[in-house]
Amino acid sequence: MKLSITAHLDYQFEAQADVLLQLEAAEIPEQVVEHSNLAIGEHAHFARVPGQDMIGTRIWTSISGRLTIDYSAVVMINRIVDEGLDLAAVPLHMLPGETVQYLMGSRYCPSDRFHDFVTDQFGALSGGERVIAMRDWIHEHFNYVPGASNADTTAVDTFVSRRGVCRDFAHVLICLARASGIPARIASVYALGVDPQDFHAVAEVFLGGEWHLVDATRMAREGAMAKIGIGRDAADVAFMTAYEPAYLIAQEVTVTHLG
Amino acid sequence: MKLSITAHLDYQFEAQADVLLQLEAAEIPEQVVEHSNLAIGEHAHFARVPGQDMIGTRIWTSISGRLTIDYSAVVMINRIVDEGLDLAAVPLHMLPGETVQYLMGSRYCPSDRFHDFVTDQFGALSGGERVIAMRDWIHEHFNYVPGASNADTTAVDTFVSRRGVCRDFAHVLICLARASGIPARIASVYALGVDPQDFHAVAEVFLGGEWHLVDATRMAREGAMAKIGIGRDAADVAFMTAYEPAYLIAQEVTVTHLG
Amino acid sequence: MKLSITAHLDYQFEAQADVLLQLEAAEIPEQVVEHSNLAIGEHAHFARVPGQDMIGTRIWTSISGRLTIDYSAVVMINRIVDEGLDLAAVPLHMLPGETVQYLMGSRYCPSDRFHDFVTDQFGALSGGERVIAMRDWIHEHFNYVPGASNADTTAVDTFVSRRGVCRDFAHVLICLARASGIPARIASVYALGVDPQDFHAVAEVFLGGEWHLVDATRMAREGAMAKIGIGRDAADVAFMTAYEPAYLIAQEVTVTHLG
Amino acid sequence: MKLSITAHLDYQFEAQADVLLQLEAAEIPEQVVEHSNLAIGEHAHFARVPGQDMIGTRIWTSISGRLTIDYSAVVMINRIVDEGLDLAAVPLHMLPGETVQYLMGSRYCPSDRFHDFVTDQFGALSGGERVIAMRDWIHEHFNYVPGASNADTTAVDTFVSRRGVCRDFAHVLICLARASGIPARIASVYALGVDPQDFHAVAEVFLGGEWHLVDATRMAREGAMAKIGIGRDAADVAFMTAYEPAYLIAQEVTVTHLG
């Protein structure tokens, strides 16, 4: 599937500010960036650095005042899709070294606290079946409520309040997977079918020796997402991390199917 | 400085268990492991995988019942020591890609919440001076109280309670550094002068283009520590992560100065 | 039912300390204290003050060094028992003024965060049926684990960890009731059938115009408990609140059925 | 000092809703309500119940759709003002029974966690001097930032973030006082000098055998506030507690000095 992507960001800063951006589709085997263009307004500095685990790219920029960004890309998704996740979990002691960090608790995913819950609720299932059951349990019991969360909201808060947006749904699923001994991380993506269309975030779980995207909001499908970057949780994959106060002027994301 | 290290662990598990260990001194340029020996009791599986950022080694093992480990090593510390930390902070937009993750909040270090505090308290200082001031502020205002914290205790909890052990002191310092725009991570170490002697944890900050160990408990000195591993916080560098309930039978760590 | 109660406390303090005690069976219409005796070791001050909502008695004492207390009582329980709780909830706008505070969140029971959960999980039920369903849900899904909680553990922590002791079970039930619009508070009690025997804590809900004791651990029965005091949560009903560090030397509680 | 007060509330509810109001100046010895008028739009139920500790009045109402309230009052403040708080703390063991609950942690004021901090920071001071020092410390180190907090924000959050509005400043002061062994509660008030004018909340501490209002934002003075109600923290003194979703249409508060 081929996706056409645009993102427009327009922010006003109070002062000279360093800004970290991560919004370009990653160049990785599972997707081919056929075309891309990034235009950034007046700036004092621009440098690309590798993203987490060398997946995708972060941009350090330094701006004074206005930040405007226009990004467009065409991305061919070649991901091998396994929506049913008919896959086995890798035994803990067989996990590759690079997956170990995704077993650990993180800023928004204190997964170490959910052990008894996942055993009680999903103990009869394992591997892909368990992940699917956890995804569906979240989808059934949690309400998608724009504005229900903020930059402090952890998966514990969401687990109690039963409300959130895409990042919160992803955080709960990541917790439940890690607490089940399945490495899990977050992926920021451009995805078809997200309503309202915006940057999207989903969980990615390590099953059968590979990473698989799983969307607990059920808005997006694994084969119709272009990956931007990955991380332990939303702290790692913000499209913009500003180190001075900023005000939103305009932001728009579009994702369309090129057939 | 040359250190002689021993560690003895003896744990009883209820059942067959996968266990993740990280307790060997890392083979890295700043320290030479002249000799090391690891003996582990009966086990069904043993595999070494690289530690976080390829520093040090984690061990996946699978055991049934008793876990006994005897480790000994002689390590020559060649670290260039700069106790005064007369070093400049690297501007945010100049930070190397691999340091970016250590600006982000983590499980025990929600550093994003401390921005106003560090500005109010340490705003007049920068770089190494600021780190030293933060280290000394923690040392002056926090009480070292064994048993004051547990596996759920975050730097926010410690910041309020003003009590903790080495990992808690390190967590607060990491938060204050990250909130100041200085990458900071945790290092697990064997260190001379820790009382009571045990595994030790300290902060490591990125200043002047390099990582520097800083101990907010002021028990250990940068030149007298053998690094085991590093991570975002204590979740990443536990000497043992057990995936089944375990009971401590015995544990002993010794670190002596070989001259 | 008539209960014979004894409590023996023996604590060592580091220094002169003010201590707040609340351990005598309350003299209230639903139970008759036929006999009681309180002996307290050497002390510099002793004063009784009314407990929360004038139920039961708190004791302010000031001691230097050792605190020893021996309490014994015989209490006839005349409580009208309605184990089935076949009772209607009082509509919010009809609630008496003195019950309003027990709708509000408290130290260990941030009940305002559970609204969506109770609607999702128990929305089809109301009044006593709902309380019974919530009690049984807790009993089924939570593990009674001595040592699983501490003085910081809130109902949110317990809701996630699914582990705790009597106060934690009570806290979760109180949250679920309040979030359902049913006033709920904690009661400290001496209860038959608690294993291991100790001070016990249960929830008390306002249904049908009266307060009813409900034990989510299912260890004790409404008709076999002698009430000591009530409060918003465990912060209000500790048997001992010490304002200086204290060390336990001995503590024993017995509750027997006199027929 | 005589104050003229008006409050206008206009809210739209999605459905039939029970609403708890607390916005009338309390009739208590320290202030004389010379005139008051409350007009409430169409409603299905209206009942006054006593406020916390019998101070002030809560109103239970039931409405369908629109809630409009117009309140006006003239209140003569006769409070004996002691801005310097040259008063001694009452020793813990001499505290009256009705003040004991205000030593305990509450929903937004987990004061039990601040013991070491207050000892470290304010240990040399006691009584009114200590309260004044704590008030001034908050005023100096915390930023008044509208929108910085929400219904979940506790004094721990504010203590870390150093940001908040009146209720947050009051919550921190209440924590520090309780942790110092001084009973402290919140008071909702109409106050001269609040900018922007709105309902206001301040701390009230028990010193010298009486309750004294203390405003850590330093916007209002003890002698220029009309008390509405008191409670353990903001959970108890909301001017409106809605049990169904509601949308603000308009809200205005005025407080003027009649000379």
Side-chain angles (χ1 to χ4, degrees), chain D residues 147-183:
Chain D
S149 59
N150 58 41
D152 266 352
T153 306
T154 70
V156 163
D157 298 320
T158 306
F159 184 78
V160 171
S161 75
R162 303 279 156 133
R163 296 182 171 206
V165 295
C166 61
R167 53 164 259 160
D168 306 303
F169 280 60
H171 286 159
V172 174
L173 182 51
I174 289 166
C175 278
L176 302 188
R178 289 182 190 163
S180 303
I182 298 169

Side-chain angles (χ1 to χ4, degrees), chain D residues 25-39:
Chain D
E27 304 199 14
I28 46 178
E30 69 201 64
Q31 61 193 22
V32 178
V33 180
E34 298 189 350
H35 155 88
S36 86
N37 187 67
L38 182 77

Side-chain angles (χ1 to χ4, degrees), chain A residues 113 116 120 141 157 163, chain C residues 113 116 120 141 143 157 163:
Chain A
R113 301 175 64 180
D116 281 25
D120 175 58
H141 291 291
D157 298 321
R163 297 183 171 205
Chain C
R113 300 175 64 180
D116 282 26
D120 175 58
H141 292 291
N143 300 310
D157 298 320
R163 299 182 169 206

Side-chain angles (χ1 to χ4, degrees), chain A residues 110 113-117 120-121 140-143 145 156-163, chain C residues 110 113-117 120-121 140-143 145 156-163:
Chain A
R113 301 175 64 180
F114 288 85
H115 181 268
D116 281 25
F117 171 72
D120 175 58
Q121 188 82 24
E140 182 180 350
H141 291 291
F142 288 63
N143 300 309
V145 179
V156 163
D157 298 321
T158 306
F159 184 78
V160 171
S161 74
R162 304 279 154 131
R163 297 183 171 205
Chain C
R113 300 175 64 180
F114 289 84
H115 180 267
D116 282 26
F117 171 73
D120 175 58
Q121 188 81 25
E140 182 180 351
H141 292 291
F142 288 64
N143 300 310
V145 179
V156 163
D157 298 320
T158 306
F159 184 78
V160 171
S161 75
R162 304 279 154 132
R163 299 182 169 206

Side-chain angles (χ1 to χ4, degrees), chain B residues 115-124, chain D residues 140-143 162:
Chain B
H115 180 267
D116 282 25
F117 172 72
V118 296
T119 301
D120 174 59
Q121 188 81 24
F122 304 104
Chain D
E140 183 180 350
H141 292 291
F142 288 64
N143 300 309
R162 303 279 156 133

Side-chain angles (χ1 to χ4, degrees), chain C residues 90 92-93 95-96 98-106 109 111-112 174-175 177-185 211 232, chain D residues 20 60 235-236 241 243:
Chain C
V90 178
L92 283 165
H93 63 265
L95 284 171
E98 67 272 20
T99 67
V100 171
Q101 69 169 302
Y102 299 110
L103 286 174
M104 306 305 181
S106 61
C109 301
S111 45
D112 45 295
I174 288 166
C175 278
R178 289 182 190 163
S180 304
I182 298 168
R185 60 190 190 189
W211 289 99
R232 295 204 187 181
Chain D
L20 183 67
W60 274 119
D236 288 351
T241 307
Y243 290 87

